[in-house]
Amino acid sequence: MGQDQTKQQIEKGLQLYQSNQTEKALQVWMKVLEKGSDLVGRFRVLGCLVTAHSEMGRYKEMLKFAVVQIDTARGLEDADFLLESYLNLARSNEKLCEFHKTISYCKTCLGLPGTRAGAQLGGQVSLSMGNAFLGLSLFQKALESFEKALRYAHNNDDTMLECRVCCSLGSFYAQVKDYEKALFFPCKAAELVNDYGKGWSLKYRAMSQYHMAVAYRLLGHLGSAMECCEESMKIALQHGDRPLQALCLLCFADIHRSRGDLELSQLKLHCLSESIYRSKGLQRELRTHVVRFHECVEEIELYCGLCGESIGERNSRLQALPCSHIFHLRCLQNNGTRSCPNCRRSSMKPGFV
């Protein structure tokens, strides 16, 4: 396979990948890897494979292709290629939580002299190093690396890098419990996506929405948290981004737990009070707590909107719709309509959570 044909096949794979035909893209790139004789083309296709496997959560495969890319870069004897391949090696180890290795490879990147790509990739190296320091709970070093990455982004007008750094700073401040800043930085990332990101991958919007959801939950703004998390999950499902899907599921669980603790404790209080007053024969007090119990059930919609039974009183299969209303599965199957019985939204496909 010649140089021109290799370029065409790499571009074909990119088009397939951007249209969410991931497996077909991987097949095209693997054929280039098997048959291509051009070392530069081989290097580029390995970079595509590293990125694709990263976004699919296949981190061991990501590392495998990064190692092959290092060998290819050495064969090219070009410092720019070597810098890019060491950065991919650092990122692979970062995804596998091998943070000490990540820092070591990042330092190797920074020690490579006179590379043309240094100005472009130096900020990404600092970002990866900051993420590794954060993973090791070395907060001061993490912040220094993030600030350095942010300076690279500003000096080179790299808004895409700035967006990624802002999301990492959101995680940083969430861990050190400054929740206002934990929200500020992903909101800044979302602004960058809206202003400059028309040609970017949707993963940047999904990433900013996820970090906003985490911050909103920590601040107690659970409605906003759910809205942002649903938007992030929607994009993650469209693009097959399994790592982000997993993070969104964890965030959904945290939101539901935060939302349900107080409301469910009130239910338990009224239920316990009902049994106490019933045993004592105090009818007026009994009636008050029975009424409040059912009001709480209605407030948190803890009942099936079709049959009216309280959900959780008996073991039964449930179904959540995209609007987040929950019904007995049997009731939906017997209902026969194409919209949610509660809010009349048209989609009856299963919800994300």
Side-chain angles (χ1 to χ4, degrees), residues 211-222:
H211 287 284
M212 286 168 65
V214 170
Y216 275 128
R217 182 191 68 79
L218 292 169
L219 287 165
H221 305 321
L222 301 182

Side-chain angles (χ1 to χ4, degrees), residues 162-172 185-186 189 207-208 211:
E162 184 179 357
C163 177
R164 292 172 58 199
V165 176
C166 284
C167 287
S168 289
L169 283 167
S171 291
F172 173 87
F185 282 103
M207 187 168 57
S208 64
H211 287 284

Side-chain angles (χ1 to χ4, degrees), residues 101-118:
K101 289 183 180 179
T102 301
I103 293 165
S104 176
Y105 287 125
C106 284
K107 287 180 178 178
T108 300
C109 290
L110 296 174
L112 290 171
T115 57
R116 295 186 303 277

Side-chain angles (χ1 to χ4, degrees), residues 263-275:
E263 293 163 333
L264 291 176
S265 65
Q266 290 176 344
L267 280 176
K268 292 176 182 178
L269 170 64
H270 293 305
C271 188
L272 180 60
S273 299
E274 177 190 341
S275 64

Side-chain angles (χ1 to χ4, degrees), residues 188-203:
K188 175 64 176 176
E191 287 179 13
L192 291 169
V193 172
N194 291 334
D195 292 342
Y196 303 101
K198 289 183 180 178
W200 299 1
S201 166
L202 280 173
K203 71 177 182 180

Side-chain angles (χ1 to χ4, degrees), residues 77-96:
E77 297 182 347
D78 187 301
D80 289 304
F81 289 128
L82 204 58
L83 171 61
E84 186 177 335
S85 57
Y86 269 115
L87 175 57
N88 280 332
L89 201 54
R91 286 173 174 164
S92 303
N93 281 281
E94 177 194 329
K95 296 295 186 182
L96 290 166

Side-chain angles (χ1 to χ4, degrees), residues 13-29:
L14 285 170
Q15 291 173 358
L16 288 168
Y17 187 73
Q18 288 165 1
S19 62
N20 294 328
Q21 300 181 66
T22 306
E23 292 303 325
K24 288 184 178 179
L26 293 178
Q27 290 172 9
V28 170
W29 287 332

Side-chain angles (χ1 to χ4, degrees), residues 33-202:
L33 204 59
E34 291 168 6
K35 299 180 179 180
S37 56
D38 174 41
L39 280 181
V40 174
R42 182 179 176 83
F43 181 89
R44 292 301 175 207
V45 81
L46 283 164
C48 293
L49 288 165
V50 166
T51 300
H53 284 88
S54 171
E55 294 185 357
M56 289 186 291
R58 301 175 183 174
Y59 299 139
K60 289 185 178 179
E61 288 84 354
M62 178 188 180
L63 178 61
K64 180 184 73 175
F65 289 116
V67 170
V68 177
Q69 192 184 43
I70 280 278
D71 293 336
T72 306
R74 286 171 179 156
L76 287 164
E77 297 182 347
D78 187 301
D80 289 304
F81 289 128
L82 204 58
L83 171 61
E84 186 177 335
S85 57
Y86 269 115
L87 175 57
N88 280 332
L89 201 54
R91 286 173 174 164
S92 303
N93 281 281
E94 177 194 329
K95 296 295 186 182
L96 290 166
C97 299
E98 295 282 357
F99 298 127
H100 290 291
K101 289 183 180 179
T102 301
I103 293 165
S104 176
Y105 287 125
C106 284
K107 287 180 178 178
T108 300
C109 290
L110 296 174
L112 290 171
T115 57
R116 295 186 303 277
Q120 295 177 325
L121 298 183
Q124 297 181 38
V125 172
S126 295
L127 173 59
S128 189
M129 185 178 286
N131 289 334
F133 281 131
L134 186 58
L136 293 169
S137 299
L138 298 173
F139 297 113
Q140 186 60 46
K141 289 184 176 181
L143 188 58
E144 288 172 2
S145 295
F146 291 144
E147 289 177 343
K148 187 181 293 185
L150 211 51
R151 285 197 297 273
Y152 269 102
H154 290 158
N155 292 338
N156 294 282
D157 293 323
D158 191 340
T159 51
M160 196 179 293
L161 173 61
E162 184 179 357
C163 177
R164 292 172 58 199
V165 176
C166 284
C167 287
S168 289
L169 283 167
S171 291
F172 173 87
Y173 283 109
Q175 289 194 37
V176 297
K177 295 183 168 54
D178 185 341
Y179 300 145
E180 294 292 339
K181 286 184 179 176
L183 178 61
F184 170 81
F185 282 103
C187 284
K188 175 64 176 176
E191 287 179 13
L192 291 169
V193 172
N194 291 334
D195 292 342
Y196 303 101
K198 289 183 180 178
W200 299 1
S201 166
L202 280 173

